[in-house]
C-alpha cells in the first residue's frame, strides 16, 4: 500500500510529576482574570509526515517507537498519538 499519512504526537508530563511551568501559567491566567481553571499542564506537540512507504500497521508501530524512544523521556513523560490519512 502506498499512501501518505500524518501522525500527531502529544507528549505531556506524567500526572505524578510536578509541572512548574503549568503552575506559572495557571497563576498568570488567574491574575489576568480568567476563571474556572482547576489545573494547567503544559506539553509538547509533534506533527510527523509519513511518505507512504509503510502499511497502516507499520506506520502505527514506527510512530509509537519514535514517540517512545526519541520524543519522550519515559521517566517523566507520557505520550499519545493519532494517525490520519
Amino acid at each position: 500500500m502506498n499512501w501518505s499519512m500524518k501522525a500527531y504526537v502529544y507528549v505531556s508530563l506524567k500526572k505524578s510529576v510536578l509541572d512548574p511551568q503549568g503552575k506559572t501559567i495557571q497563576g498568570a491566567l488567574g491574575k489576568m482574570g480568567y476563571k474556572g481553571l482547576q489545573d494547567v499542564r503544559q506539553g509538547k506537540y509533534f506533527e510527523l509526515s509519513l511518505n507512504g512507504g509503510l502499511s497502516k500497521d507499520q506506520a502505527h508501530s514506527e510512530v509509537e517507537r519514535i514517540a517512545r524512544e526519541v520524543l519522550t523521556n519515559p521517566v517523566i513523560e507520557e505520550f499519545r498519538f493519532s494517525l490520519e490519512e
Side-chain angles (χ1 to χ4, degrees):
M1 191 176 282
N2 196 3
W3 40 267
S4 60
M5 299 185 74
K6 284 207 180 224
Y8 304 98
V9 182
Y10 304 89
V11 178
S12 58
L13 291 171
K14 292 180 177 180
K15 296 294 182 198
S16 61
V17 175
L18 294 177
D19 183 355
Q21 185 175 359
K23 288 294 181 203
T24 300
I25 294 167
Q26 181 181 358
L29 291 171
K31 288 176 185 170
M32 294 171 70
Y34 293 98
K35 305 207 181 318
L37 289 172
Q38 180 175 330
D39 192 24
V40 175
R41 305 227 6 126
Q42 61 86 32
K44 300 179 280 189
Y45 167 74
F46 300 91
E47 191 172 301
L48 308 174
S49 296
L50 308 175
N51 66 14
L54 303 172
S55 70
K56 193 166 189 173
D57 286 342
Q58 289 171 322
H60 186 278
S61 294
E62 197 67 3
V63 169
E64 184 173 12
R65 190 168 75 112
I66 290 168
R68 183 177 56 253
E69 295 178 4
V70 180
L71 302 180
T72 62
N73 175 344
V75 174
I76 61 169
E77 295 174 320
E78 58 192 11
F79 68 90
R80 64 183 168 84
F81 70 92
S82 61
L83 294 173
E84 185 178 285
E85 291 183 47

